[in-house]
Amino acid sequence: MFRNYIKTAWRNIRKYKLHTIINVLGMSVAFLCSIFLFLVAWYEFSFDSFHQNKSSVFKVYNFYSDDQNESGSRRSSTMGLPVASALKKEVQGVELATRYKNGNGAVEYNGKEINLQLNYVDNDFFRVFSFPVVSGNARAPLADPGNIVMSAYAAKAIFGKEDPIGKILKVNVDGSWQNLSVSAILKDFPDNSSITYDLLVRTELRPDYTVNKDRWNTQDHDVYIKLAPGVSVQSVENSMRPVVEKYRAGDIREMTQRGVRPDANGDILALRLLPLSQIHFDIEKGTGPVTAKSYLYTLLTVGLLILIIAVFNFVNLNIAQAFTRIKEVGVRRSLGAGKRQIFLQVWGESFLICLASVIIGVAALGICIKPLNQLLSQHISLDYLLQPLPVLFTLLLIVVVSLLAGGYPAVSVSRLSTINVLKGNITVKRPGVFRKTLIVVQFIMACLLMVSGLIVFRQFEFMRTQPLGFSQESVISVPIAHPEKGKMIVSSLRSQLSAQPAVQSVTGSDINFGVGKDGGTSRISSGFDYNGRLIRSNVITVDYDFLKTMGIPLLSGRDFSKSFGTDTSRNVIVTESMAKSFGVVNPLGLSFITDSSEPRSTIIGIIPDIHLYSLHEEKKPLSIYLAGDNADYIDYALVKIKNLHPVEAMNLIKEAYKKADPGAEFNGSFIEENVGRWYNKEKNFSKILGIATGVATLLSCLGLFAMSALMIGQRIKEIGVRKVLGASVQSIAALLSKDFLVLVLLAVAIATPLTWWLMNKWLSDFPYRVEISWWLFFVSGIVALSVAIITISLHTIKAAVANPVKSLRTE
């Protein structure tokens, strides 16, 4: 029996080729897009799930209660050097603790030098996280501070096919070259890991370790802990409270004097725990390339919308076909077929089409996966589909979609009266409520995606092009491989390029502007008390000609100059907001102390506020210091060029850098490109919505095409009578189109407030955002109506101009 169903279904599929092609095309495209978006979301949600102890590993972060001078409570994930050891020793329930600090380091072996990511960790790192040891000491790889652990990638890059275990490397650890012995090789971290590494060394090797090992307020790294079995997060957070009160009593006392009030837990300042499963999704306290869950839920929603539109389209097409085969159903019923047999026959055809669509969609995804990954900056592999959960999901998708798409027409057809069918009394002259709903919902989704895509694109363009207070164009940023020699390297570049007409000026900075090719980002901030005021400021260290190179004007005071020897001894240029935070009329010449171990800082110049970081956050006060000859690092050289021949200028700088730092890799990039990388999420989101809008519109048109074909097919004789009685082609076309256009207008009317509410909510996360303009909804409505008119007219005009004699011949 089942074999006969398959055979009959296959014959009908072949018989109605146009219907089958439209169905398979629409569903294949929908499955391709939806499965890709679901895989993207599944990949992001899988971050850090491979760790064996994932449920008991947490990231420690600082909590600061509401301050009367600040906007709400604050959270910070950077820790002081003594935190990890104090928690392990003094907090019951903390089994393991490790520090983790990102950095970069040069490695030299047999005359070959290579720059790699260098991280500072503790020996517990290898028991907190599940990164397998490929070779070497698996039990305690960093038990000896003279050891170094590296990834398989780093081992191959340095040693090639040579066995690295026990070999001695020269490693540049924050400017200090040290001989370290390779103790173990780790398997490369997976793509879905927040924790990354090339080289791992002990935290004690940091040059500032001796000075800062007991300072809780010098915070520049993350701390991860593993809880003992059966210990609750709440009990550990309660046990950490006395530790904070013991070691940060001065900070708590100062905050209390300023009027800071405890939160609901009674904390003014506390240490709290963030689960490992959340560090990829927490924008404020996360690790690595964080992704907001709202972004992933949006991807899932878009994928689901495309799938729903495709299913609705499938239903409409099946309805159109089912009611053109009414006499066939009547004959089957008269020959003894029951409702069950009719249902299985109609649903069987839907199942086969759905199965074929999934196979074609997955095959097409296999072809498109590489360009899609490149377009959307993803790391998705079809191998993910072979895992149990995605396989189960895909099979369930086939069954559910085929039931939804084939179930309604199957039930409708199987319930028809045999006598009425054979007499020809079954007609469908107007869409029913269900089918009207399908059309309206389809166009609501299409309009929603269309307007949302436009708003996301405008927001992306707004952030990308918004003036940041410094020059983006014609400035090249070059990561310096040896930042401890950064000032000397910048000086060498300045000497080599000063006579070049294509170069205007050269400077340096300890931070990059935007995200360069090295992927490095950093943030240094300070907080201090001035006459009872808490002053907070971002801090950068620069070289001479910084303001000139970056195109930042002086509002008052002067720039750093070699004529003033005191500029390298804590003279500072501040932004307007930083100057105002002191509460004095004229802050020029004002001196203040940021740290008892540092000399007094003196303000020599004031500049406008600038966006040192992306427009995802508000402008913050900024202090700019001049790098000293030996003590300060310069991580990036910044070169202002005349933008006439950018390629030639880049090559010129590349050659100069090779001479300034022989053997170092050149990774120069334009700051304009670097700034654009701040907004890759919005850029990719805009592309996804653009593709989704196109797919949704296409599928909606297919559904409208099917429904208009069904309705007009049922009214052929009515059209013939109207033409005989003198109706014009225009009036008939308008009559046939009216019902459908009313539904599209209704969809636009419903989609407008819904989209406005959703996008207002999305934009509320941005401190700087575009306004939602009325014309976006007007344009989307015009596009939706135009597409609907074009789609319907393919049938209406054909029916209106047809010879009425043919349709009335049998009357």
Side-chain angles (χ1 to χ4, degrees):
M1 181 67 72
F2 180 76
R3 186 178 176 185
N4 288 333
Y5 285 142
I6 298 296
K7 280 185 176 180
T8 307
W10 177 245
R11 288 194 193 107
N12 284 322
I13 287 172
R14 293 181 62 186
K15 181 179 179 182
Y16 300 98
K17 289 185 177 65
L18 179 61
H19 169 271
T20 302
I21 290 170
I22 293 175
N23 259 335
V24 171
L25 174 65
M27 293 297 291
S28 297
V29 172
F31 278 126
L32 187 157
C33 295
S34 300
I35 290 174
F36 180 76
L37 294 180
F38 293 155
L39 283 178
V40 170
W42 183 85
Y43 165 76
E44 296 286 347
F45 279 117
S46 73
F47 257 71
D48 304 308
S49 61
F50 58 90
H51 293 290
Q52 295 176 3
N53 303 317
K54 58 187 177 184
S55 60
S56 58
V57 175
F58 297 84
K59 183 177 184 179
V60 184
Y61 68 91
N62 292 301
F63 167 80
Y64 301 89
S65 188
D66 289 337
D67 190 328
Q68 59 183 0
N69 298 317
E70 299 288 327
S71 55
S73 58
R74 292 190 305 115
R75 291 157 184 80
S76 166
S77 62
T78 53
M79 295 286 136
L81 283 171
V83 174
S85 55
L87 294 181
K88 188 175 179 181
K89 291 177 183 177
E90 302 182 36
V91 177
Q92 187 175 3
V94 176
E95 185 179 312
L96 301 169
T98 181
R99 291 163 285 201
Y100 174 82
K101 183 179 187 296
N102 272 326
N104 290 295
V107 178
E108 186 180 315
Y109 181 73
N110 283 346
K112 177 184 178 182
E113 184 177 318
I114 184 171
N115 292 309
L116 294 166
Q117 180 182 341
L118 176 71
N119 296 339
Y120 301 94
V121 300
D122 298 311
N123 202 40
D124 279 353
F125 175 88
F126 306 95
R127 292 198 291 159
V128 172
F129 300 108
S130 304
F131 298 113
V133 174
V134 177
S135 61
N137 185 350
R139 187 166 185 175
L142 288 180
D144 186 339
N147 288 342
I148 183 171
V149 175
M150 60 182 58
S151 66
Y153 162 80
K156 185 177 181 180
I158 299 167
F159 295 100
K161 295 182 179 180
E162 188 179 350
D163 183 10
I165 302 299
K167 297 293 191 304
I168 303 299
L169 288 176
K170 284 187 68 176
V171 184
N172 188 336
V173 183
D174 269 349
S176 173
W177 285 94
Q178 302 191 31
N179 293 322
L180 301 177
S181 174
V182 180
S183 62
I185 306 299
L186 290 184
K187 185 178 180 181
D188 291 334
F189 58 86
D191 288 336
N192 59 345
S193 175
S194 299
I195 305 294
T196 60
Y197 53 81
D198 286 329
L199 308 172
L200 297 170
V201 298
R202 282 281 289 268
T203 302
E204 289 83 352
L205 293 183
R206 290 176 50 171
D208 63 343
Y209 180 79
T210 303
V211 175
N212 294 323
K213 66 178 182 179
D214 297 320
R215 292 183 176 178
W216 282 65
N217 284 335
T218 303
Q219 303 171 342
D220 62 358
H221 64 276
D222 297 334
V223 169
Y224 294 90
I225 63 173
K226 178 186 176 299
L227 303 187
V231 177
S232 70
V233 174
Q234 187 61 53
S235 66
V236 172
E237 288 185 344
N238 291 337
S239 299
M240 290 193 296
R241 192 171 286 118
V243 176
V244 176
E245 292 171 353
K246 175 182 176 181
Y247 292 104
R248 302 195 66 178
D251 295 324
I252 295 174
R253 184 167 54 252
E254 180 187 339
M255 292 175 71
T256 304
Q257 290 172 353
R258 288 203 315 268
V260 178
R261 293 168 293 186
D263 73 337
N265 296 318
D267 293 326
I268 287 178
L269 191 160
L271 291 177
R272 292 183 179 170
L273 303 180
L274 179 70
L276 180 66
S277 60
Q278 298 302 313
I279 66 172
H280 180 61
F281 308 109
D282 196 304
I283 302 295
E284 190 178 23
K285 309 180 291 295
T287 301
V290 295
T291 299
K293 282 189 176 180
S294 58
Y295 171 75
L296 301 180
Y297 291 141
T298 303
L299 289 186
L300 289 172
T301 302
V302 170
L304 190 61
L305 288 179
I306 290 175
L307 201 58
I308 289 173
I309 291 174
V311 171
F312 285 4
N313 173 55
F314 199 2
V315 170
N316 280 338
L317 287 169
N318 282 355
I319 291 173
Q321 187 198 35
F323 283 98
T324 58
R325 295 167 54 188
I326 286 178
K327 290 187 177 179
E328 173 193 334
V329 172
V331 171
R332 287 181 179 276
R333 292 291 297 273
S334 65
L335 294 175
K339 292 182 180 180
R340 179 172 170 271
Q341 283 81 8
I342 298 297
F343 174 86
L344 288 175
Q345 183 63 60
V346 177
W347 173 72
E349 294 174 20
S350 299
F351 179 82
L352 286 180
I353 290 175
C354 195
L355 180 62
S357 300
V358 169
I359 293 171
I360 295 171
V362 171
L365 182 57
I367 297 171
C368 301
I369 192 77
K370 188 174 181 179
L372 281 173
N373 278 332
Q374 291 173 346
L375 178 68
L376 304 175
S377 303
Q378 295 294 335
H379 302 88
I380 306 305
S381 169
L382 282 183
D383 292 342
Y384 296 141
L385 275 178
L386 302 178
Q387 299 186 24
L389 192 60
V391 168
L392 182 63
F393 172 77
T394 306
L395 292 175
L396 187 63
L397 197 63
I398 294 172
V399 174
V400 171
V401 170
S402 64
L403 279 173
L404 289 174
Y408 174 76
V411 170
S412 300
V413 171
S414 64
R415 287 179 176 176
L416 295 176
S417 166
T418 306
I419 296 174
N420 288 332
V421 168
L422 294 176
K423 283 183 176 181
N425 294 334
I426 304 298
T427 60
V428 191
K429 292 187 178 180
R430 294 284 189 276
V433 174
F434 178 70
R435 281 167 286 146
K436 285 181 179 179
T437 303
L438 296 186
I439 294 174
V440 171
V441 172
Q442 279 183 319
F443 275 91
I444 287 174
M445 293 176 183
C447 292
L448 189 152
L449 289 172
M450 194 183 308
V451 178
S452 298
L454 287 171
I455 292 172
V456 171
F457 178 74
R458 290 184 71 226
Q459 177 65 19
F460 161 66
E461 284 295 309
F462 170 78
M463 293 193 297
R464 189 181 65 81
T465 59
Q466 184 76 354
L468 300 177
F470 59 82
S471 177
Q472 298 180 52
E473 296 180 353
S474 308
V475 180
I476 294 173
S477 169
V478 182
I480 295 175
H482 302 96
E484 74 281 359
K485 298 188 296 183
K487 192 172 178 68
M488 183 179 68
I489 292 169
V490 169
S491 179
S492 174
L493 288 173
R494 188 180 288 119
S495 298
Q496 294 182 65
L497 299 172
S498 59
Q500 298 293 336
V503 176
Q504 293 185 352
S505 60
V506 179
T507 188
S509 167
D510 64 342
I511 71 157
N512 201 359
F513 290 81
V515 180
K517 289 183 179 179
D518 63 335
T521 57
S522 61
R523 184 191 299 263
I524 303 171
S525 60
S526 69
F528 57 92
D529 181 76
Y530 178 81
N531 292 342
R533 290 172 172 263
L534 177 64
I535 310 294
R536 289 196 180 98
S537 170
N538 286 322
V539 179
I540 62 172
T541 304
V542 303
D543 197 25
Y544 293 108
D545 295 331
F546 175 76
L547 298 185
K548 176 184 175 182
T549 302
M550 298 307 299
I552 303 174
L554 266 171
L555 296 177
S556 59
R558 64 174 178 84
D559 195 357
F560 296 121
S561 171
K562 292 180 180 179
S563 303
F564 295 85
T566 55
D567 280 355
T568 57
S569 58
R570 302 294 287 180
N571 278 355
V572 61
I573 296 173
V574 300
T575 55
E576 278 187 286
S577 58
M578 178 63 177
K580 289 177 181 177
S581 63
F582 290 98
V584 297
V585 176
N586 184 12
L588 279 177
L590 182 146
S591 294
F592 55 92
I593 297 175
T594 60
D595 192 304
S596 58
S597 64
E598 299 283 351
R600 297 181 71 87
S601 298
T602 302
I603 298 175
I604 63 167
I606 300 173
I607 61 173
D609 287 318
I610 66 173
H611 287 282
L612 191 61
Y613 302 102
S614 77
L615 268 70
H616 288 106
E617 55 185 88
E618 295 181 357
K619 293 178 183 177
K620 299 290 177 63
L622 173 65
S623 302
I624 304 174
Y625 289 90
L626 182 65
D629 292 331
N630 299 313
D632 298 309
Y633 287 6
I634 294 292
D635 295 82
Y636 297 90
L638 305 170
V639 184
K640 175 79 170 179
I641 66 170
K642 294 178 181 177
N643 200 20
L644 298 176
H645 304 286
V647 176
E648 289 83 348
M650 181 71 80
N651 291 332
L652 190 68
I653 296 167
K654 182 177 181 179
E655 292 302 316
Y657 182 72
K658 285 181 179 179
K659 295 177 182 177
D661 195 4
E665 184 181 2
F666 180 80
N667 277 319
S669 58
F670 283 92
I671 284 182
E672 191 172 17
E673 298 172 357
N674 298 350
V675 168
R677 293 188 185 98
W678 272 337
Y679 311 114
N680 275 342
K681 286 291 181 188
E682 287 74 24
K683 182 180 179 181
N684 293 336
F685 192 23
S686 175
K687 291 177 182 176
I688 287 172
L689 286 180
I691 294 170
T693 299
V695 172
T697 304
L698 171 66
L699 295 176
S700 298
C701 289
L702 287 175
L704 198 58
F705 181 87
M707 187 62 75
S708 61
L710 170 65
M711 294 300 102
I712 292 170
Q714 292 290 328
R715 300 175 68 179
I716 287 294
K717 291 179 181 179
E718 175 192 340
I719 295 168
V721 172
R722 288 180 179 273
K723 288 200 70 177
V724 169
L725 295 176
S728 66
V729 172
Q730 293 84 352
S731 64
I732 292 174
L735 176 69
L736 297 174
S737 303
K738 182 182 67 175
D739 291 339
F740 296 105
L741 295 182
V742 167
L743 297 178
V744 175
L745 284 171
L746 178 61
V748 172
I750 296 173
T752 297
L754 178 62
T755 309
W756 185 88
W757 177 76
L758 287 173
M759 296 315 295
N760 248 329
K761 197 170 182 180
W762 181 74
L763 286 171
S764 65
D765 291 334
F766 297 91
Y768 305 95
R769 53 186 176 268
V770 295
E771 295 295 328
I772 301 179
S773 304
W774 64 268
W775 63 265
L776 294 172
F777 301 98
F778 179 77
V779 168
S780 108
I782 294 297
V783 170
L785 281 171
S786 301
V787 168
I789 290 170
I790 292 170
T791 303
I792 297 166
S793 65
L794 296 175
H795 291 299
T796 55
I797 295 175
K798 181 180 177 182
V801 300
N803 188 347
V805 174
K806 292 182 179 180
S807 59
L808 299 176
R809 185 175 295 163
T810 59
E811 293 300 314

